Amino acid sequence: MKDGHIHTPYCPHGTDDKFEQYIEKAIKVGLDEISFTEHFPLPKGFTDPAPNNDSSIKLEQLKSYINDVKKLKDRYKDKIKINVGAEVDYVEGFEKEIKSLLDEYGKYLEDGILSVHMIKIKDEYYCMDFSSEEFEKIVNLLGSIESVYNLYYDTLIKAVNADLGEYKPKRIGHLNLVRKYNKKFPYDYSKNKKLEELVKLISEKEYELDYNVAGLFKEDCGEVYISGYLAELIKKYNVKVVLGSDSHSSKFIDKYKINIQLKYI
């Protein structure tokens, strides 16, 4: 049993829980393997659109993060397999800058996730998952909830097709993150053709999906980010999934969460 999506004390929008707290909890609940996938630094020249400017670690922290995880790998090697990983943000228009960072640091990473948290509207960038108020701003800018979904899926298609070099992550994070506020902004996506186009592309490229359960514990979401129609599509196209708690606190790595993941597959 593996948890392939765990954050750390380096996360600026997470908790101060120590690495050891995450690891000890993972061992306690019976995990065989975990990947620390801290938010990779944002590309050079890009301004974080999150109101708190806290989407990722800073570039100057990256070596320290990698070294910390390497030390823990060795310390716990007889109890659990630990991978040095990163969650890389795809930012439309900054592909060269992302590739440059991955070319330099990707050789130190053993696992990775490619995610879309930010979408581009005209010449401005907006954070999809910061708050329901920010999400509503995006809906108003685009004119409808359906337009938000379509732009989000289009951006993911660009992410999957992007040339980010040999160290590009081949696992796509929380594919339905756009549904984080679906209770406030309901939308029936079961006939969305762009989503099927996206899943088919992921299958053709033999990429994996992050089977991310974090949405289940979000007040305005209440569902695994792969569920419903999307779950049907990944079965139809035989896409491999990797369990991920997306924990930003050690308390979320627990038996209850792992059991939920297994039931939903």
Side-chain angles (χ1 to χ4, degrees):
M1 289 177 59
K2 172 183 176 179
D3 188 336
H5 192 158
I6 299 175
H7 292 278
T8 75
Y10 279 89
C11 182
H13 56 266
T15 67
D16 293 329
D17 287 0
K18 298 181 183 302
F19 280 102
E20 289 85 353
Q21 289 177 264
Y22 289 94
I23 297 168
E24 294 293 344
K25 178 60 76 69
I27 294 170
K28 183 178 180 180
V29 302
L31 293 178
D32 304 304
E33 180 179 354
I34 59 173
S35 292
F36 284 114
T37 51
E38 195 47 80
H39 291 283
F40 204 60
L42 294 173
K44 184 178 180 180
F46 178 72
T47 301
D48 187 354
N52 292 344
N53 192 29
D54 62 351
S55 293
S56 72
I57 65 173
K58 304 300 182 185
L59 181 58
E60 56 267 25
Q61 297 176 295
L62 188 55
K63 287 183 179 179
S64 177
Y65 160 70
I66 291 171
N67 288 334
D68 283 354
V69 180
K70 282 185 174 180
K71 291 176 184 176
L72 292 163
K73 278 174 63 69
D74 185 60
R75 191 193 309 172
Y76 285 93
K77 63 183 179 182
D78 295 327
K79 295 182 178 180
I80 190 169
K81 186 178 189 298
I82 299 173
N83 301 307
V84 182
E87 182 176 11
V88 179
D89 265 290
Y90 171 77
V91 181
E92 182 182 353
F94 284 83
E95 291 84 357
K96 289 182 180 179
E97 292 81 358
I98 298 168
K99 180 180 181 297
S100 179
L101 278 173
L102 285 170
D103 285 346
E104 184 172 358
Y105 295 100
K107 58 189 173 185
Y108 303 112
L109 303 176
E110 300 165 316
D111 200 359
I113 298 170
L114 184 67
S115 297
V116 170
H117 297 94
M118 302 153 193
I119 57 174
K120 184 179 182 182
I121 303 174
K122 295 183 179 180
D123 293 325
E124 298 290 331
Y125 293 88
Y126 298 87
C127 191
M128 289 284 307
D129 64 327
F130 184 83
S131 68
S132 60
E133 290 77 18
E134 288 295 305
F135 190 87
E136 184 174 21
K137 184 188 296 184
I138 296 170
V139 173
N140 291 336
L141 282 168
L142 293 176
S144 70
I145 298 173
E146 182 175 33
S147 295
V148 178
Y149 274 69
N150 288 340
L151 178 57
Y152 175 70
Y153 293 145
D154 277 337
T155 306
L156 277 163
I157 289 170
K158 290 177 181 178
V160 175
N161 283 323
D163 177 11
L164 301 180
E166 65 175 304
Y167 298 111
K168 176 184 179 181
K170 302 301 191 295
R171 183 158 80 251
I172 307 301
H174 38 56
L175 201 72
N176 249 356
L177 184 65
V178 68
R179 291 185 60 76
K180 184 173 180 179
Y181 307 107
N182 76 84
K183 290 184 179 179
K184 287 188 175 180
F185 302 94
Y187 169 67
D188 179 6
Y189 67 108
S190 63
K191 296 180 181 179
N192 190 292
K193 294 182 179 179
K194 286 186 182 293
L195 180 56
E196 182 159 13
E197 177 187 350
L198 171 60
V199 175
K200 184 179 179 182
L201 176 65
I202 289 168
S203 175
E204 289 171 350
K205 286 187 172 288
E206 298 184 341
Y207 281 18
E208 301 173 334
L209 287 179
D210 168 37
Y211 196 89
N212 190 305
V213 301
L216 194 64
F217 302 92
K218 304 296 183 183
E219 182 180 359
D220 296 322
C221 184
E223 63 184 42
V224 175
Y225 286 128
I226 292 180
S227 58
Y229 178 55
L230 176 54
E232 295 173 11
L233 287 176
I234 66 170
K235 290 177 182 178
K236 176 180 178 180
Y237 289 102
N238 197 29
V239 177
K240 181 182 176 182
V241 299
V242 176
L243 301 174
S245 66
D246 203 352
S247 294
H248 288 69
S249 167
S250 61
K251 69 180 182 180
F252 286 111
I253 305 178
D254 55 36
K255 206 71 169 176
Y256 175 65
K257 203 160 198 177
I258 298 300
N259 286 340
I260 287 174
Q261 293 175 13
L262 294 174
K263 288 177 183 177
Y264 268 78
I265 290 179

